[in-house]
Amino acid sequence: MSKALKIGIMGAMAEEIELLHKHVERANSFEKAGITYVSGHLHGHEVIFCKSGVGKVNAAVCTQLLIDAGADCILFTGVAGALDPSLNIGDIVVSTSCQQHDMDCRPLGFSRGEIPFQDVSEWVADAALVDLAVRACEDLFPGRSMKGKVLSGDQFVASRELVRELHEELGGACTEMEGASLAQVCVMNGTPFVVIRSMSDKADGSAHVNFADFTVTASVNSHRIIDEMLRRM
């Protein structure tokens, strides 16, 4: 990754990307489909970033628009609920792959998470971007990150039983609401991607206790990881 790239960066909430506004040089913005996109330069790379909004449809629309705007790869940052019992609040998951956990056509004979009549239902992240993200996380937050599958669904997981099912049946490390749709659109377009998630809760119904406070911390951590990745590219 020695050549200058145009990096697409997405977050689901304003807190997750607002720090970019303070550091990107020569920023310009445009609006499309009701979403504001900001482009500029950071560490010698052209960047374009946006707040996608919550949910798989929002993420899919934003991903396609970033690709149409010339993004060579896409980095997604944000918070998630931990599924792997070894994860604690503040730990980070770097996606090896993404899958929709709420794609459920089991009554028709398909597996949980399998998209009917489609060859691929699990979207593999770019190995070079995964390695870059892992190395950045290890330097910034030693012992606080892991690689794993990110599960996505249009629901806030708050059940211990569902946490166990998603971890044991689908092998998910964490759960959120956007990554799999971003991943699918990226793979369909041949665009490298990686999803980086900070654990805001244990996906067990306790999120109301720590989600709001941790979002601020997660935003700072996400910015540091993205910043370090771009420095290394």
Side-chain angles (χ1 to χ4, degrees), residues 118-154:
Q118 187 163 299
D119 292 335
V120 179
S121 298
E122 182 177 343
W123 313 97
V124 178
D126 180 75
L129 290 177
V130 170
D131 181 64
L132 192 64
V134 167
R135 287 188 285 119
C137 289
E138 287 175 348
D139 285 350
L140 294 170
F141 310 103
R144 299 297 305 274
S145 65
M146 69 160 56
K147 294 189 292 184
K149 183 194 284 189
V150 174
L151 298 181
S152 306
D154 285 324

Side-chain angles (χ1 to χ4, degrees), residues 38-131:
V38 180
S39 61
H41 292 80
L42 185 63
H43 302 312
H45 298 287
E46 187 176 358
V47 296
I48 179 168
F49 60 94
C50 67
K51 180 188 76 171
S52 68
V54 174
K56 292 185 297 183
V57 173
N58 282 327
V61 170
C62 282
T63 303
Q64 188 62 59
L65 289 174
L66 284 174
I67 293 169
D68 291 346
D72 294 302
C73 63
I74 296 183
L75 317 177
F76 193 103
T77 67
V79 297
L83 297 175
D84 189 312
S86 70
L87 287 167
N88 294 306
I89 293 171
D91 288 350
I92 299 159
V93 171
V94 177
S95 68
T96 52
S97 64
C98 299
Q99 187 173 14
Q100 298 180 63
H101 68 76
D102 62 349
M103 176 61 69
D104 192 351
C105 294
R106 284 177 290 181
L108 298 178
F110 297 94
S111 301
R112 187 178 200 160
E114 181 182 2
I115 302 173
F117 315 116
Q118 187 163 299
D119 292 335
V120 179
S121 298
E122 182 177 343
W123 313 97
V124 178
D126 180 75
L129 290 177
V130 170
D131 181 64

Side-chain angles (χ1 to χ4, degrees), residues 170-205:
L170 293 180
C174 67
T175 178
E176 35 87 299
M177 298 184 182
E178 296 84 26
S181 55
L182 172 143
Q184 180 173 348
V185 174
C186 281
V187 171
M188 292 171 71
N189 283 274
T191 302
F193 77 92
V194 68
V195 175
I196 304 160
R197 291 290 191 173
S198 297
M199 301 303 102
S200 62
D201 61 273
K202 303 282 280 187
D204 59 1

